[in-house]
Amino acid sequence: MAETAIMNEPFLWEGTDRKGKKVKGKSMAATEAAVRADLRRQGVVPTRIRKQRRSLLAGTSKITPGDIAIFSRQLATMLAAGIPLVQAFEIIGSGHENAAMQKLIMAIKADVEGGSALAEALAKHPVYFDDLFVNLVESGEQAGALETLLDKIATYKEKTEAIKKKIKKALTYPAAVLVVAFVVTTILLIFVIPAFEDLFQGFGADLPTFTRMVIDLSVFVRTQGWLLAMGIGAGFFTFFYFKKRSKAMRHFLDRVTLKTPVIGPIMQKASIARYARTLSTMFAAGVPLVEALESVSGATGNIVYEQGVLKMRDEVATGQRLQQSMENTDLFPNMVIQMIAVGEESGSLDDMSAKVADFYEEDVDNAVDNLSSLLEPMIMAILGVLVGGLVVAMYLPIFKMGSVI
């Protein structure tokens, strides 16, 4: 049965309901006959059924963190509604449009049907379900409160993904505009500037220094541009290669990022928000503090904070209070430390951590909005200097001739 579910395909259908009204829709099933049988159970007489064509990219669909967040929420909702676990997987998997996600869900369902615990089944897919996710699910299974823990996981995933999307959105716009500016400048240097160069050769006079510099740059781009492109490409490849494989380089980049004006404070607040949100979720699930800090370290999204939290874990394991260990890292504002201290004293560490997370998540939202407003005029100025500078350079000789005449 699991194999059949994995092979489900989307079908578009048309038909009439019990009242004779025309209806249409989309169903996921293994065969056309299965769609027809399902429609008849619903009281629909099908008049036309056809398989929906998949796009060329459908076979290479990827599973994103957003997909995992939605899956967590769907599973939590269904379990809370009293739907059995295996049936919940069947419903979620059959209705998913992402083929890769559908295959993943059905693979987990097959393991659970085979007698594996849900945490054990999830642990077989570490690319999509990290230690934090698996540990929380395991705690929920042992405590008999799986739907409650899945709800907390879903909330955690949604909050952390919202922060990531907000930051990416703020950085995507300026990056896209700068790429367009680079492309426009390259086109001007390769195709437009040479036309002016031919025109200026007939003047028989010295060109302004600025104009001469732009023409020389155009000549260089046309003759040696491929070398420059190869150098830039090799530089990007080397950068991302070592960024992915070198822990020392990631530590350096993360530390530099935290000290970068404007961007640094946002990244710091985002890391603190992830730290507090993960700590709250883990502690509320009944995970011991030392074990929780192990998972919290990997969720901060910054290797500087990751190493700081691991150091905190070692200190807490020796009997030191969490508040004191946070002070020792010099990574957390005093307000965060004081709220955590209150949580420790009152026995409500999960609630206070959640309040810290709420505060900093909102702070990140506001900071990103302000960053977008700040970057827009700066980007327009950069565009004006690049494109406007090239135009002015080409018209300077013409202005010079006009003044002479």
Side-chain angles (χ1 to χ4, degrees), residues 120-335:
E120 184 181 345
L122 295 175
K124 293 182 179 179
H125 309 278
V127 175
Y128 310 114
F129 303 102
D130 54 18
D131 291 339
L132 169 63
F133 200 114
V134 173
N135 290 341
L136 288 174
V137 169
E138 185 177 9
S139 298
E141 287 182 304
Q142 292 174 354
L146 183 57
E147 64 276 7
T148 302
L149 265 295
L150 280 171
D151 182 69
K152 291 183 180 296
I153 293 172
T155 301
Y156 164 75
K157 286 286 184 182
E158 289 164 354
K159 295 281 188 181
T160 52
E161 285 306 307
I163 291 180
K164 291 179 183 178
K165 286 181 179 179
K166 195 79 175 178
I167 294 175
K168 286 181 180 178
K169 182 180 178 181
L171 298 179
T172 298
Y173 171 71
V177 174
L178 290 177
V179 169
V180 171
F182 175 78
V183 172
V184 170
T185 302
T186 303
I187 292 174
L188 289 175
L189 289 172
I190 295 176
F191 299 105
V192 178
I193 303 301
F196 280 92
E197 183 182 6
D198 295 337
L199 175 65
F200 295 153
Q201 286 177 351
F203 284 2
D206 293 335
L207 295 175
T209 303
F210 185 37
T211 304
R212 186 74 261 166
M213 289 173 58
V214 171
I215 291 177
D216 290 343
L217 178 60
S218 174
V219 172
F220 173 78
V221 170
R222 281 179 285 147
T223 58
Q224 307 293 331
W226 63 276
L227 287 175
L228 181 62
M230 287 181 63
I232 294 175
F236 274 107
F237 175 80
T238 303
F239 173 80
F240 287 109
Y241 179 86
F242 284 104
K243 180 178 182 292
K244 192 173 183 179
R245 291 168 174 80
S246 173
K247 190 172 183 178
M249 185 173 183
R250 291 202 309 273
H251 189 280
F252 170 77
L253 290 174
D254 284 350
R255 187 170 292 278
V256 169
T257 300
L258 291 176
K259 293 182 179 180
T260 302
V262 183
I263 297 292
I266 295 178
M267 300 307 293
Q268 182 185 29
K269 292 172 183 177
S271 293
I272 293 174
R274 292 193 194 106
Y275 162 83
R277 179 65 62 193
T278 311
L279 181 63
S280 171
T281 305
M282 295 289 286
F283 206 73
V287 179
L289 183 56
V290 175
E291 185 180 337
L293 289 174
E294 177 78 36
S295 298
V296 170
S297 65
T300 56
N302 187 292
I303 197 170
V304 176
Y305 274 87
E306 179 180 344
Q307 292 181 345
V309 175
L310 288 176
K311 182 181 177 183
M312 289 163 49
R313 177 206 60 187
D314 295 338
E315 293 178 354
V316 170
T318 62
Q320 194 170 90
R321 293 181 60 187
L322 180 60
Q323 171 201 359
Q324 185 61 48
S325 63
M326 288 176 65
E327 289 179 351
N328 295 340
T329 62
D330 200 27
L331 292 174
F332 299 92
N334 187 59
M335 184 270 285

Side-chain angles (χ1 to χ4, degrees), residues 25-45:
K26 175 180 175 181
S27 298
M28 299 292 294
T31 63
E32 181 179 329
V35 177
R36 195 177 297 276
D38 184 53
L39 291 175
R40 284 173 178 163
R41 284 196 297 270
Q42 298 176 40
V44 176
V45 178

